[in-house]
């Protein structure tokens, strides 16, 4: 799978698992995304895909690197639907 395709799949999974925040943007907690069985089967390197999507300005989250457990409550916000 190429990075662009994985980023597209990531956007779909955020839409599936997320909910609208006060600003009307779709967001999901990192822990929800990381622990989802379907996401675990799709993404070999979820954190790398998140970083690629952030670099393309499709999503936003606090910090540069998200780690399981430590950052489970960090919101991942979808910037483009």
């Amino acid at each position: 799978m190429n990075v662009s395709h994985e980023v597209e799949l990531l956007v779909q999974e955020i839409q599936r698992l997320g909910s609208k925040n006060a600003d009307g943007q779709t967001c999901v907690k990192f822990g929800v995304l990381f622990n989802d069985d379907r996401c675990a089967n799709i993404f070999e390197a979820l954190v790398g895909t998140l970083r690629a999507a952030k670099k393309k300005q499709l999503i936003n989250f606090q910090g540069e690197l998200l780690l399981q457990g430590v950052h489970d409550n960090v919101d991942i916000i979808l910037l483009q639907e």
Side-chain angles (χ1 to χ4, degrees):
M1 236 186 296
N2 65 34
V3 174
S4 294
H5 182 65
E6 281 201 14
V7 168
E8 288 176 27
L9 292 174
L10 177 65
V11 168
Q12 292 172 11
E13 293 306 306
I14 292 171
Q15 290 171 332
R16 179 178 68 87
L17 295 169
S19 57
K20 298 286 184 185
N21 64 13
D23 296 328
Q25 297 170 306
T26 303
C27 68
V28 65
K29 300 284 185 196
F30 174 67
V32 171
L33 199 60
F34 192 90
N35 292 313
D36 182 72
D37 288 339
R38 186 163 150 184
C39 287
N41 289 329
I42 294 173
F43 305 108
E44 281 186 35
L46 177 60
V47 172
T49 305
L50 287 167
R51 289 183 72 190
K54 185 176 184 180
K55 194 173 187 178
K56 292 181 179 211
Q57 298 180 342
L58 296 173
I59 64 168
N60 194 22
F61 54 85
Q62 289 292 104
E64 288 298 313
L65 182 66
L66 299 175
L67 302 173
Q68 182 188 17
V70 179
H71 298 111
D72 282 355
N73 287 320
V74 172
D75 284 324
I76 299 169
I77 301 168
L78 191 57
L79 300 176
Q80 299 177 22
E81 294 288 329

